[in-house]
Amino acid sequence: MAEEPEYLVIDLGGTRVRAALADRTLRISHRIEEATEVEGGPDGVIDQMTRMGRSLLDANRRLTRLAVSTPGPLNPRTGMVYSPPNLPGWGTLPLAARLEGMLGLPTDLINDANAACLGEFHAGSGRGHRNLVYLTISTGIGGGIIADGRLIEGSSGMAGELGHMTIDRHGPICNCGNVGCLEMLASGTSIARRFREGLASGGKSIVTEWVCDAPATARDVARAAEMGDPLASAVFTDAAEAIGTGVVNCIHIFNPDIVALGGGVTQAHGLFEIIHRVVEARAMAIPRQAVRVVHAELSGDQGLIGAAAAAREQEAKP
Ligand SMILES: [Zn+2]
């Protein structure tokens, strides 16, 4: 028999808000989804989450907690978010306390990449393992780390910012203040930017014929690379090698069972071949033989499942 729903879970993104119920086995039900009403600022989005949450609460009065996957930076212990880049115009905000006041449930916040990592750990490629490194590579790069079965949060809840490890210390300056971050070399945004820079310095590419005056996307670059276009291949290969380097760093630091890569960029043809080549050439033998570098298995529910896992962990604390 299916368990009763126990948690209200919300996955807040810059473009979509999803809400659902979850039981203690992390099974998700009653999904609802809307476009994020970003134009209303934090007040508007909190109202929207409250409305969506109440529509699920009305029929399910026995829920015990709310957990929200939300773009960081944030502190899961205080429930504060700090001007998330994916939610423009938001300053520092006690998001957990505001939602707790509106919905009347003890509320936990979890950074979206950490939530996706927990989801992948419990219900995706991490099932049956104890040590998982998760990277999501799309417009930005985020991550999460599970060591000995526990999500690493760190001193201020900011652990797992894998997109901001330096790959090239002579590389471009990142918004985070560091230089040559993985995100500056291999996110979808960066692949498109580096391709444009190549064109601006005189490079030629078939992509200019496809996109006319529109800016090329990372997807265009990947497709042209697949066709052997020299500029696109150079940009794409360099990004893939940067990801491979980041994966080698993670293998050396965490000795994981699984490195799972999710996000739009990881769907590009040929990416994993290059990553595997870098890992094969550069990772130390013993941790390399212990690890599998794989595609993340979940696409869609990982944030909701991860939020439910965070709620379950909080509930178990004394
Ligand atoms: Zn950075």
Side-chain angles (χ1 to χ4, degrees), residues 17 34-37 43-53:
V17 188
E34 296 182 3
T36 311
E37 294 168 4
D43 290 345
V45 174
I46 288 168
D47 285 348
Q48 180 181 22
M49 286 194 282
T50 302
R51 178 168 38 76
M52 291 172 75

Side-chain angles (χ1 to χ4, degrees), residues 3 5 29 53 63 74 84 86 88 95 118-119 133 135 176 185 199 234 270 276 285 295 298 313:
E3 293 210 9
S29 62
L63 300 178
L74 61 84
N86 287 345
L95 182 60
L118 269 178
V133 172
L135 274 156
C176 77
L185 303 177
L199 286 178
H276 284 138
H295 284 281
L298 304 185
E313 274 179 29

Side-chain angles (χ1 to χ4, degrees), residues 114 117-118 121-122 129-134 144-152 254 256:
N114 281 346
C117 175
L118 269 178
F121 178 66
H122 287 289
H129 296 285
R130 299 279 294 162
N131 300 284
L132 169 76
V133 172
Y134 171 83
I145 301 136
I146 310 269
D148 291 330
R150 304 231 15 121
L151 181 74
I152 297 183
F254 299 109

Side-chain angles (χ1 to χ4, degrees), residues 265-278:
V265 170
T266 62
Q267 298 304 314
H269 177 87
L271 185 86
F272 267 69
E273 260 175 68
I274 299 170
I275 293 170
H276 284 138
R277 176 162 52 71
V278 174

Side-chain angles (χ1 to χ4, degrees), residues 54-65:
R54 279 189 184 140
S55 77
L56 293 171
L57 271 170
D58 283 347
N60 295 276
R61 296 176 191 283
R62 296 182 52 238
L63 300 178
T64 56
R65 298 193 82 84

Side-chain angles (χ1 to χ4, degrees), residues 3-10 19-31 56 60 62-65 67 304-309 311-312:
E3 293 210 9
E4 285 287 308
E6 196 74 28
Y7 314 119
L8 176 60
V9 286
I10 297 179
L21 303 179
D23 67 20
R24 283 208 174 86
T25 69
L26 310 183
R27 195 179 60 89
I28 303 296
S29 62
H30 300 77
R31 293 170 188 77
L56 293 171
N60 295 276
R62 296 182 52 238
L63 300 178
T64 56
R65 298 193 82 84
L304 295 172
I305 296 170
R312 188 174 68 179

Side-chain angles (χ1 to χ4, degrees), residues 73-80 82 111 114 152-159 161:
L74 61 84
N75 186 329
R77 283 167 216 144
T78 61
M80 300 289 290
Y82 303 100
N111 149 331
N114 281 346
I152 297 183
E153 289 190 342
S155 175
S156 20
M158 289 277 295
E161 289 288 351

